[in-house]
């Protein structure tokens, strides 16, 4: 049997998320072969290259010039997304770009246009697209398991990683991150809300900062009004202390509720007339742990076989626009349209 075609991929940015992508490739994306890694930090590039078994580069341009590649997986600070994507477009290489697509809508639209003009395939990495508890929730809602949805809430509590105050992480700077927790990790809670409840029409938000070194918001509270008229809430906290139990999502219908519990033991629970004590529908954790690899496999199938992506890159505008509308609302103290 002939060897199956492989996607020759470079991992660009050897930081935190690169480890999750590499784990995912090893376990869930057998059609990907990582032949190069890139990081401006020479030590980071070298160490990760040894870990992965690929050639290290400290310059994206050099890697694009020298390495035999089909595509690049860009895991760079937000202010470098357009720079990195444009360099790949010029070199006619396909791109998997980590979320958020960009720090503002016009840059995001330039990136989408650049990919089209170059005739290359672009995917925005948002692993929540592959969370099976979220997909199942949408199916349960559509099947009428909780009746008409009347409200929903998303709670994102993200423990703050230790940091060096003499060398602050890029995501602490507004000029490099584009915002705080909402534009960053918050995307992984906004995407499921859209998948489960449809598009968000408008938002009203308040944010605060409790981490002095972090310029962007570390607490966000927002009310989201969906196209359907349903209102829900989005809560995001960069937590700095011990955390109590909380669910990730709660969808309330006229005749029941769906609760997506948090953490390794978390479950997707359905409460309705037939299950007043709650039915354990599935684990809410397993597919989350696998989702980075499933996402990379989706990208490989898209590039190699032209298989449509689970979500086209334009869909990622929704999380970005929601976060940006929240930031506008903080300034205007009014409801702000997302689209
Ligand atoms: N999907 C997720 O769950 C998830 C989680 C974390 C981060 N992210 C996203 O991944 C991206 C990277 O985040 P991170 O947490 O891994 O950041 P990080 O700071 O841990 O890693 C970024 C790496 O990029 C390198 N870098 C900086 N400039 C470079 C350049 N010009 N060329 C090559 N390398 C360069 C840095 O040296 C660093 O090693 C961001 O878009 C972030 O939002 C996604």
């Amino acid at each position: 049997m002939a060897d199956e075609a492989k996607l020759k991929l470079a991992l660009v940015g050897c930081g935190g998320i690169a480890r999750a992508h590499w784990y995912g490739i090893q376990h869930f994306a057998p059609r990907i072969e990582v032949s190069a890694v890139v990081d401006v930090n020479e030590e980071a590039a070298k160490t990760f290259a040894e870990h992965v078994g690929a050639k290290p580069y400290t310059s994206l341009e050099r890697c694009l010039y020298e390495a035999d590649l089909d595509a690049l997986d860009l895991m760079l600070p937000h202010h470098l997304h357009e720079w990195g994507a444009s360099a790949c477009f010029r070199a006619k290489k396909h791109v998997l770009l980590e979320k958020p697509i960009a720090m503002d809508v016009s840059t995001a639209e330039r990136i989408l246009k650049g990919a089209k003009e170059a005739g290359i395939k672009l995917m925005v990495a948002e692993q929540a697209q592959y969370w099976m508890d979220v997909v199942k929730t949408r199916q349960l809602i559509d099947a009428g398991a909780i009746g008409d949805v009347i409200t929903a809430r998303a709670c994102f509590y993200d423990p703050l990683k230790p940091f060096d105050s003499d060398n602050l992480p890029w995501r602490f700077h507004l000029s490099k991150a584009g915002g705080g927790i909402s534009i960053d990790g918050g995307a992984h809670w906004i995407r499921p809300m859209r998948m489960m409840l449809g598009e968000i029409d408008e938002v009203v938000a308040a944010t605060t900062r409790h981490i002095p070194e972090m310029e962007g918001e570390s607490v966000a509270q927002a009310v989201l009004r969906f196209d359907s008229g349903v209102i829900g809430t989005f809560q995001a906290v960069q937590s700095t202390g011990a955390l109590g139990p909380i669910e990730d999502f709660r969808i309330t219908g006229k005749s029941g509720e769906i609760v997506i519990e948090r953490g390794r033991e978390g479950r997707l629970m359905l409460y309705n007339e037939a299950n007043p004590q709650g039915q354990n529908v599935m684990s809410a954790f397993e597919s989350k742990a696998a989702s980075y690899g499933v996402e990379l496999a989706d990208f490989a199938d898209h590039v190699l076989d032209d298989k449509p992506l689970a979500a086209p890159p334009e869909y990622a505008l929704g999380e970005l626009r929601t976060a940006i509308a929240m930031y506008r609302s903080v300034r205007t103290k009014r409801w702000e349209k997302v689209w």
Side-chain angles (χ1 to χ4, degrees), residues 15-17 39 76 78 81 98-99 127 170-171 188 292:
I17 195 61
D39 202 295
L76 294 166
H78 303 167
H81 284 196
E98 258 300 343
K99 51 51 65 177
Q127 75 275 12
W170 59 265
R171 41 169 55 84
H188 310 308
Y292 297 105

Side-chain angles (χ1 to χ4, degrees), residues 78-87 97 101-102 106-107 110-111:
H78 303 167
H79 68 299
L80 298 176
H81 284 196
E82 184 180 28
W83 163 78
S86 305
L97 177 62
I101 177 169
S106 51
T107 308
R110 275 200 307 275
I111 293 175

Side-chain angles (χ1 to χ4, degrees), residues 12-18 21 38-41 44 57-60 74-81 83 98-100 125-127 161 169-171 183-185 188 292 295:
V12 183
C14 304
I17 195 61
H21 280 213
V38 186
D39 202 295
V40 276
N41 178 329
Y57 290 89
T58 52
S59 146
L60 172 60
L74 302 183
M75 297 170 283
L76 294 166
H78 303 167
H79 68 299
L80 298 176
H81 284 196
W83 163 78
E98 258 300 343
K99 51 51 65 177
E126 176 44 76
Q127 75 275 12
K161 293 186 187 68
W170 59 265
R171 41 169 55 84
I183 198 172
D184 194 356
H188 310 308
Y292 297 105
E295 161 187 278

Side-chain angles (χ1 to χ4, degrees), residues 30-84:
R31 303 182 79 192
I32 293 182
E33 188 176 273
V34 177
S35 46
V37 307
V38 186
D39 202 295
V40 276
N41 178 329
E42 192 173 355
E43 194 51 40
K46 193 167 158 276
T47 310
F48 198 54
E50 278 163 17
H51 181 58
V52 167
K55 184 164 177 194
Y57 290 89
T58 52
S59 146
L60 172 60
E61 287 90 347
R62 191 167 188 86
C63 175
L64 283 166
Y65 184 71
E66 280 187 15
D68 177 19
L69 296 171
D70 301 310
L72 294 95
D73 177 1
L74 302 183
M75 297 170 283
L76 294 166
H78 303 167
H79 68 299
L80 298 176
H81 284 196
E82 184 180 28
W83 163 78

Side-chain angles (χ1 to χ4, degrees), residues 7-266:
L7 182 80
K8 292 189 278 291
L9 185 73
L11 301 178
V12 183
C14 304
I17 195 61
R19 264 121 194 109
H21 280 213
W22 172 237
Y23 176 89
I25 289 168
Q26 286 176 292
H27 292 87
F28 300 98
R31 303 182 79 192
I32 293 182
E33 188 176 273
V34 177
S35 46
V37 307
V38 186
D39 202 295
V40 276
N41 178 329
E42 192 173 355
E43 194 51 40
K46 193 167 158 276
T47 310
F48 198 54
E50 278 163 17
H51 181 58
V52 167
K55 184 164 177 194
Y57 290 89
T58 52
S59 146
L60 172 60
E61 287 90 347
R62 191 167 188 86
C63 175
L64 283 166
Y65 184 71
E66 280 187 15
D68 177 19
L69 296 171
D70 301 310
L72 294 95
D73 177 1
L74 302 183
M75 297 170 283
L76 294 166
H78 303 167
H79 68 299
L80 298 176
H81 284 196
E82 184 180 28
W83 163 78
S86 305
C88 298
F89 299 163
R90 283 193 298 277
K92 303 286 180 205
K93 303 294 177 197
H94 304 293
V95 173
L96 175 60
L97 177 62
E98 258 300 343
K99 51 51 65 177
I101 177 169
M103 300 199 299
D104 60 73
V105 174
S106 51
T107 308
E109 284 172 347
R110 275 200 307 275
I111 293 175
L112 291 165
K113 190 162 167 254
K116 283 213 171 74
E117 285 174 355
I120 68 100
K121 288 175 172 155
L122 170 69
M123 170 174 162
V124 178
E126 176 44 76
Q127 75 275 12
Q129 188 65 42
Y130 308 92
W131 290 353
M132 292 317 293
D133 52 345
V134 170
V135 172
K136 183 70 186 173
T137 297
R138 177 63 197 244
Q139 289 168 357
L140 289 169
I141 293 170
D142 288 346
I146 56 170
D148 290 343
V149 173
I150 52 176
T151 191
R153 72 178 200 183
C155 302
F156 175 49
Y157 279 64
D158 186 32
L160 181 69
K161 293 186 187 68
F163 62 89
D164 175 1
S165 43
D166 293 328
N167 184 18
L168 289 173
W170 59 265
R171 41 169 55 84
F172 279 32
H173 300 286
L174 281 175
S175 60
K176 295 182 179 175
I181 189 167
S182 310
I183 198 172
D184 194 356
H188 310 308
W189 267 245
I190 298 170
R191 170 70 63 100
M193 291 292 264
R194 298 173 62 220
M195 290 165 66
M196 296 185 291
L197 300 174
E199 212 46 90
I200 301 165
D201 173 33
E202 57 180 356
V203 300
V204 64
T207 62
T208 55
R209 297 170 51 237
H210 67 290
I211 303 165
E213 295 87 344
M214 186 174 162
E215 291 175 356
E217 84 286 359
S218 47
V219 172
Q221 302 275 3
V223 181
L224 320 173
R225 195 190 319 273
F226 292 82
D227 281 350
S228 62
V230 166
I231 55 164
T233 58
F234 166 79
Q235 228 183 16
V237 178
Q238 195 75 68
S239 59
T240 46
L243 282 175
I246 192 165
E247 73 255 5
D248 284 336
F249 300 96
R250 177 178 289 261
I251 317 291
T252 309
K254 278 188 181 164
S255 61
E257 273 202 321
I258 296 170
V259 177
I260 297 183
E261 298 171 345
R262 187 174 175 77
R264 193 167 280 276
E265 305 301 324

